Amino acid sequence: MTIALQTFNLVKRFGGLVATNDVSITVEKGARQALIGPNGAGKTTLINQLTGVLAPTSGRIELEGRDITSLSVHERARAGMVRTFQINQLFKELTPVESLAAAISERDGLGARFWRALGHRGELMDEVAALLEQCNLVDAMHRETRVLPYGKQRLLEIALALAARPRVLLLDEPVAGVPDGERREILNTVAALPDDVTIVLIEHDMDLVFSFASRISVLVSGGLLTEGSCADIARDPSVKAVYLGEELVGSDHV
């Protein structure tokens, strides 16, 4: 087993509140792992610790065996850990082509000079085209992001994350707020993400979780309740009691 991401006894306290409590999670390389739990379970706090937004009160985080606990957000991104957000964070006045060209240029150290690269760096535009195709954005490539349907904006956020060439990708509720008619495109894109990218999915949508993940970690009250396969989690009475309720009873997930 090759480990991509691992936490060791992560604790985060805010005064007297313990938001994450002794959380140890192991994610294998190439895994499709989901992180679920009720509101207030500590999911966002855990993800913020993984990505460097919050420093843990105690504990350790390793990325492919390297201790990254003290690294900044940008240093972790350069090391290969990339995150999408529950609420997308995009350049509203740019088109998908321009946004992806900017992201790739920043990754390659060109920074603001990406405008000069447009149309002049064949390999950059080839990569942009591949990402547009992969994330179903070809039909929207020249439209300003602000006028795109919300589902397309979420797809653009996934494309931008892939442009960073992540080794571990954290998908934070990729279908949150997306109308039902646009969700299938996102589900298909997520399902087709490259096998060599390790993915941790944070999600409330159980259809997405069970169609995508091969392993599920369940957080409750800041602690890790249980982990296991989709079948194990669907049948676990403690999970049903604290989170899933009757949702899975009699469903295809059991």
Side-chain angles (χ1 to χ4, degrees):
M1 179 180 70
T2 302
I3 297 173
L5 177 65
Q6 195 165 17
T7 70
F8 299 86
N9 309 107
L10 278 190
V11 174
K12 182 61 182 179
R13 294 189 180 92
F14 298 97
L17 173 66
V18 181
T20 53
N21 187 11
D22 200 35
V23 176
S24 297
I25 292 176
T26 298
V27 183
E28 296 182 24
K29 186 174 182 179
R32 298 295 186 260
Q33 191 152 330
L35 178 65
I36 68 172
N39 290 332
K43 301 186 300 297
T44 298
T45 300
L46 177 59
I47 294 305
N48 284 338
Q49 289 175 88
L50 293 177
T51 54
V53 174
L54 290 174
T57 304
S58 61
R60 188 170 83 256
I61 303 166
E62 291 186 0
L63 179 65
E64 297 180 334
R66 175 188 178 188
D67 189 341
I68 62 168
T69 312
S70 62
L71 296 187
S72 70
V73 173
H74 299 296
E75 289 171 330
R76 294 183 200 209
R78 285 195 292 270
M81 182 183 292
V82 179
R83 173 191 185 180
T84 65
F85 290 85
Q86 185 177 356
I87 300 174
N88 68 48
Q89 301 186 7
L90 302 170
F91 300 107
K92 300 294 186 181
E93 304 305 317
L94 297 184
T95 67
V97 167
E98 293 165 344
S99 296
L100 288 168
I104 295 168
S105 295
E106 180 67 26
R107 182 200 71 202
D108 292 347
L110 295 176
R113 292 177 290 166
F114 84 93
W115 292 108
R116 282 183 285 173
L118 282 172
H120 298 286
R121 283 183 60 203
E123 68 277 13
L124 181 149
M125 295 312 298
D126 287 345
E127 187 172 353
V128 168
L131 287 167
L132 290 169
E133 180 70 29
Q134 182 178 2
C135 294
N136 297 298
L137 288 164
V138 173
D139 58 342
M141 59 191 293
H142 294 305
R143 299 172 64 192
E144 287 187 1
T145 298
R146 62 183 177 85
V147 302
L148 295 180
Y150 194 60
K152 290 293 187 183
Q153 293 185 25
R154 300 309 302 238
L155 287 168
L156 177 56
E157 189 180 22
I158 293 173
L160 288 168
L162 293 174
R165 293 180 178 170
R167 293 196 293 280
V168 175
L169 177 59
L170 306 175
L171 294 175
D172 193 352
E173 297 195 34
V175 297
V178 177
D180 288 343
E182 300 173 34
R183 292 162 67 89
R184 177 49 52 189
E185 200 169 34
I186 296 175
L187 298 180
N188 291 341
T189 299
V190 169
L193 288 171
D195 291 338
D196 60 346
V197 179
T198 301
I199 299 172
V200 178
L201 174 73
I202 305 93
E203 188 52 68
H204 284 290
D205 186 301
M206 289 298 104
D207 286 335
L208 175 53
V209 168
F210 282 93
S211 66
F212 175 78
S214 55
R215 185 171 178 82
I216 298 175
S217 304
V218 184
L219 282 183
V220 175
S221 301
L224 183 64
L225 175 68
T226 187
E227 292 183 301
S229 68
C230 291
D232 291 338
I233 296 302
R235 287 192 292 261
D236 191 316
S238 65
V239 175
K240 290 183 178 181
V242 302
Y243 180 62
L244 298 174
E246 299 300 315
E247 183 176 351
L248 298 188
V249 177
S251 77
D252 292 337
H253 302 315
V254 177

